[in-house]
């Protein structure tokens, strides 16, 4: 059972549709296990978050598209873009 939530629902960023699906899944699992008084506690989140698209390109000294990904709850880049220095990161 440890993988059922991740396999059937996937990533569950707070406030996302997948988070709501996970809540319904958990309530159903607890009821099926015979627990009583299973309920959701009300709470409010000022806004939700859903991953959008992320694109970038190097413009100097060569023009190249870059592989990037956005992080949850990080603000959007302005519509006209941003110029910045590239920072090498060793992920190994």
């Amino acid at each position: 059972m440890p993988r059922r939530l991740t396999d059937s629902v996937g990533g569950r960023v707070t406030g996302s549709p997948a988070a709501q699906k996970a809540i319904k899944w958990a309530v159903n699992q607890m009821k099926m296990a015979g627990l009583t008084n299973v309920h959701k506690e009300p709470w409010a989140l000022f806004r939700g978050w859903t991953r959008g698209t992320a694109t970038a390109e190097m413009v100097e000294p060569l023009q190249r598209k870059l592989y990037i990904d956005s992080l949850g709850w990080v603000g959007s880049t302005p519509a006209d873009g941003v110029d910045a220095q590239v920072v090498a990161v060793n992920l190994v």
Side-chain angles (χ1 to χ4, degrees), residues 13-57:
V13 175
T14 304
S16 70
Q20 293 302 311
K21 185 177 177 182
I23 291 168
K24 289 178 185 176
W25 178 90
V27 167
N28 184 50
Q29 291 297 309
M30 287 185 270
K31 287 180 178 178
M32 286 178 22
L35 298 176
T36 58
N37 194 25
V38 176
H39 62 280
K40 300 181 285 183
E41 293 288 334
W43 59 280
L45 184 66
F46 73 100
R47 67 176 185 196
W49 182 86
T50 302
R51 184 178 303 280
T53 59
T55 60
E57 67 178 305

